[in-house]
Amino acid sequence: MPRGTLITPDGTRIAYRTDLSPRGPAGPPVLLLDGPTGHAGDWDDLTARLCEDGHRVVRYEARRDERATEEMRGAAAATADAAALLRHLGLAPAVLVARSEAGRTARQLAQTAPHLVLSLILLDEPPGACRNDDAHDTHPTLALRADQATPHDPHTLHEAIGEFLRRTGATRKDAAHA
């Protein structure tokens, strides 16, 4: 599992990990985004299963900007961080899997930089997070509630994600990235 650090234009350090199947990529890259209380390690089981399917999986410790007192300023920084990481690693377009508050980051990234996003998988978003003017209109989106699947139930979550990727065609060889 290669590790790295990205330094954003504002000087924030973002530690990330990449995982890839030993067989090489057979599907699009996947960026895992977690809410403010989550950690990259929370995705270990799901990462292993996605790698078995041939996906390159990237996870990182999201910015915990204590100085961002305005909700939107913090959300804008989180979106910029995710975009910078995808560009830095050359992984666009990617499937974004976001849990909790990170769903906002995923949706904003899909709206502001649609070329970086292949599809969205939103897990346990807070009530009212989805809006009519959302990225759901332009990107295939799967939304699951916590009682349907969570990172703590990797088997069920993996099945739901795998079915969604097959259904949307995101597992085709021509969607693979090196």
Side-chain angles (χ1 to χ4, degrees):
M1 146 182 23
R3 295 174 185 257
T5 302
L6 169 67
I7 301 175
T8 66
D10 70 359
T12 300
R13 292 178 169 272
I14 299 173
Y16 64 86
R17 301 182 227 180
T18 60
D19 295 272
L20 180 63
S21 167
R23 298 183 312 260
V30 176
L31 178 64
L32 302 174
L33 301 124
D34 213 336
T37 61
H39 299 281
D42 293 345
W43 299 101
D44 286 349
D45 289 335
L46 180 61
T47 295
R49 291 170 188 264
L50 291 171
C51 286
E52 287 173 13
D53 292 346
H55 298 279
R56 181 175 178 187
V57 180
V58 177
R59 49 203 163 132
Y60 67 102
E61 296 296 337
R63 173 190 303 238
R64 293 182 182 17
D65 190 352
E66 306 299 329
R67 298 165 296 163
T69 56
E70 298 175 37
E71 181 179 318
M72 293 314 290
R73 191 172 86 206
T79 301
D81 292 349
L85 187 57
L86 287 173
R87 288 183 185 111
H88 173 74
L89 296 172
L91 294 181
V95 174
L96 306 183
V97 179
R99 181 173 68 170
S100 185
E101 296 291 332
R104 175 181 292 132
T105 300
R107 288 184 286 104
Q108 283 185 345
L109 183 56
Q111 288 177 310
T112 60
H115 61 285
L116 297 178
V117 179
L118 183 62
S119 60
L120 302 170
I121 299 173
L122 308 173
L123 310 174
D124 196 24
E125 276 197 296
C130 299
R131 297 180 310 272
N132 291 335
D133 63 343
D134 214 71
H136 296 183
D137 297 334
T138 57
H139 291 82
T141 302
L142 172 67
L144 296 172
R145 296 183 318 268
D147 62 335
Q148 293 173 310
T150 69
H152 303 292
D153 180 9
H155 178 73
T156 304
L157 181 57
H158 175 251
E159 285 182 353
I161 290 173
E163 177 59 29
F164 172 74
L165 294 175
R166 282 187 293 280
R167 194 182 65 215
T168 60
T171 56
R172 297 187 316 261
K173 286 280 187 187
D174 61 344
H177 294 264

